Amino acid sequence: MSKYLPLSISELKKATLKNFLVILSLLTTFGLLAIAVATLPLITDWDSIILKKVHNLQSIELDQIAIALTQTARGIAITAITSLLSIGLVWWKQWRSLGYVWLVIIGSGLINFLAKLLFHRHRPDLWVSP
């Protein structure tokens, strides 16, 4: 057996329970933070303070870096990066890693979609963008 697989049913059950509890705690934390952001003005005020401080640091160079990062996070770039990574993982027969990559891509897309659908939080408009 592979060194990555539990050797017995008992160990498999323990690993599954541990993973379930980790995922449950992370989802619970995310849910509590989402509720806090949606209902507590303190969180929104804190958000605005940080955004204003970051905005005060603006420069042409930092703006170009931010634009480049934003462009990288768009669907076409993520599709290209994921495709290249997937091809490499298939080439090296790293099936488990390939599964993790696709789990993260699909899961993050689903969480992003559901969060936008559920929370309806508008982007802050603290200043006029050019």
Side-chain angles (χ1 to χ4, degrees):
M1 279 199 170
S2 169
K3 67 179 182 179
Y4 298 110
L5 293 177
L7 299 176
S8 70
I9 297 296
S10 173
E11 289 175 347
L12 181 60
K13 286 180 181 178
K14 286 180 186 176
T16 302
L17 179 62
K18 178 183 167 190
N19 290 340
F20 174 76
L21 291 175
V22 167
I23 291 169
L24 182 63
S25 66
L26 291 172
L27 287 173
T28 301
T29 302
F30 176 79
L32 292 173
L33 285 172
I35 291 168
V37 167
T39 59
L40 298 175
L42 174 65
I43 302 290
T44 307
D45 294 343
W46 180 68
D47 194 23
S48 297
I49 291 168
I50 291 174
L51 285 172
K52 287 177 183 175
K53 293 216 182 273
V54 169
H55 185 67
N56 288 337
L57 298 173
Q58 85 175 41
S59 68
I60 293 173
E61 295 81 13
L62 289 176
D63 287 352
Q64 290 172 341
I65 291 170
I67 290 168
L69 289 173
T70 301
Q71 296 299 326
T72 303
R74 291 208 173 169
I76 293 172
I78 289 189
T79 302
I81 292 167
T82 304
S83 297
L84 290 173
L85 183 59
S86 295
I87 290 168
L89 291 171
V90 167
W91 179 266
W92 292 303
K93 297 179 182 172
Q94 298 293 317
W95 309 116
R96 181 175 287 190
S97 296
L98 180 65
Y100 288 146
V101 165
W102 280 99
L103 180 66
V104 167
I105 293 297
I106 293 168
S108 62
L110 184 61
I111 288 171
N112 187 23
F113 173 77
L114 290 174
K116 287 179 180 180
L117 187 68
L118 292 172
F119 297 113
H120 302 288
R121 185 168 185 234
H122 298 286
R123 291 183 182 259
D125 54 353
L126 303 173
W127 53 82
V128 177
S129 296

